[in-house]
Amino acid sequence: MSSYKDKIDLSRLPQHIAIIMDGNGRWAKDKGRPRIFGHKNGVDSVSVITEEAVKLGIQYLTLYVFSTENWGRPLEEINALMELLIDSIEKETAKLQKNNVKLKAIGDLERLPKKVREKLEDCIHTTSANTGLTLILALSYSSRWEIQHAVKKITQDACDGKIKPDEVSEELISSYLLTRDIPDPDLLIRTSGEIRISNFLLWQIAYSELYFTDEHWPAFRKEEFYKSIVCYQNRDRRFGK
């Protein structure tokens, strides 16, 4: 049986892939199970896709794990998600080390429970010298929050005389974003059939290729990942030119 993997041109891989991991709750509901069951199975997809990104030679993978809007969910679900996050970091750190993956995190991390921050910081420190795939977790993140955060810093630096109005450029704004050391995504994937961006990397995806799939995130596996890359490679990227 043929695979989309055989159609991938390894010389034209997207440097950075970002994924909106949607559909955990709906996948669980379809199976008559609680939402947290979907989240737990979604972790398996994270592990599988991260390993495939490593094998293919993708350089950056950003996953939208938890948005600032998600804080409005029921407390029971939030607590379960935070516990799942702690457990996942503990279990995956050794695998990240083995696969030479460097972990980073972006977002309003101060809002995360202390134990989550500590586990996250430990894993980031442990993997900091790795030179393969950089895995970025967007946690307590939203793009409008990030841009607001950047504007405040730019304004403060302008008030302090460090920046002149005519020095404000796209490059300067990008340098104040949390992704300043990360190239913009070439490919943005959203699962579960929803066709919207949901406040994710709005500045950074200005010229990203978008790929939407009906697969819920817990069911998103290698073949659909390969298919998204093949679809990306079949497009003509002109960047507005």
Side-chain angles (χ1 to χ4, degrees):
M1 184 176 176
S2 63
S3 168
Y4 278 100
K5 186 176 184 179
D6 301 327
K7 301 177 182 179
I8 294 175
D9 181 349
L10 296 177
S11 69
R12 297 192 299 114
L13 288 170
Q15 182 182 23
H16 182 180
I17 298 176
I19 305 178
I20 300 174
M21 307 181 297
D22 193 21
N24 289 346
R26 275 163 286 169
W27 181 85
K29 183 180 179 182
D30 289 346
K31 297 182 178 300
R33 303 295 296 272
R35 289 177 63 84
I36 192 61
F37 178 74
H39 295 311
K40 287 178 179 178
N41 281 271
V43 171
D44 294 337
S45 289
V46 170
S47 183
V48 168
I49 298 307
T50 300
E51 285 201 39
E52 287 309 305
V54 169
K55 291 175 183 177
L56 288 172
I58 303 298
Q59 296 180 45
Y60 297 88
L61 177 65
T62 300
L63 304 177
Y64 202 4
V65 178
F66 192 87
S67 73
T68 54
E69 290 84 0
N70 288 156
W71 290 114
R73 291 185 176 184
L75 184 59
E76 182 181 3
E77 182 178 357
I78 291 173
N79 289 339
L81 281 168
M82 292 300 124
E83 287 299 321
L84 182 59
L85 185 55
I86 291 169
D87 185 58
S88 300
I89 292 171
E90 287 179 342
K91 289 180 178 179
E92 294 295 320
T93 299
K95 190 182 293 184
L96 295 179
Q97 276 292 84
K98 177 184 175 183
N99 290 323
N100 195 29
V101 176
K102 178 188 291 187
L103 184 70
K104 288 181 176 287
I106 58 173
D108 188 3
L109 304 181
E110 290 301 315
R111 291 190 69 181
L112 297 173
K114 182 180 178 182
K115 191 173 181 181
V116 174
R117 291 200 313 272
E118 289 174 347
K119 290 293 181 183
L120 190 61
E121 289 166 3
D122 285 346
C123 187
I124 290 172
H125 175 73
T126 299
T127 62
S128 61
N130 291 343
T131 57
L133 171 75
T134 297
L135 175 64
I136 304 110
L137 304 182
L139 289 161
S140 188
Y141 173 90
S142 77
S143 192
R144 287 185 174 183
W145 172 86
E146 179 188 26
I147 293 169
Q148 177 186 352
H149 185 259
V151 169
K152 285 181 179 179
K153 288 179 131 183
I154 292 171
T155 303
Q156 185 59 59
D157 283 351
C159 290
D160 293 341
K162 297 177 182 178
I163 299 172
K164 297 177 181 178
D166 59 1
E167 293 176 335
V168 177
S169 62
E170 286 189 22
E171 291 75 20
L172 183 133
I173 293 171
S174 293
S175 74
Y176 278 80
L177 297 176
L178 300 176
T179 56
R180 54 188 164 273
D181 299 320
I182 303 165
D184 291 341
D186 300 294
L187 171 63
L188 172 69
I189 299 168
R190 179 166 187 149
T191 61
S192 201
E194 302 293 351
I195 306 176
R196 55 177 176 266
I197 305 304
S198 295
N199 208 355
F200 184 49
L201 300 175
L202 299 178
W203 178 274
Q204 296 88 340
I205 63 168
Y207 287 103
S208 300
E209 295 298 321
L210 309 182
Y211 180 84
F212 299 100
T213 173
D214 289 335
E215 292 281 2
H216 295 316
W217 177 246
F220 187 90
R221 288 295 194 267
K222 300 177 185 179
E223 197 59 29
E224 191 67 26
F225 187 53
Y226 301 149
K227 184 179 178 182
S228 71
I229 295 173
V230 171
C231 181
Y232 163 84
Q233 292 185 334
N234 286 333
R235 297 181 187 179
D236 180 19
R237 302 189 74 198
R238 296 186 295 272
F239 299 95
K241 297 179 182 177

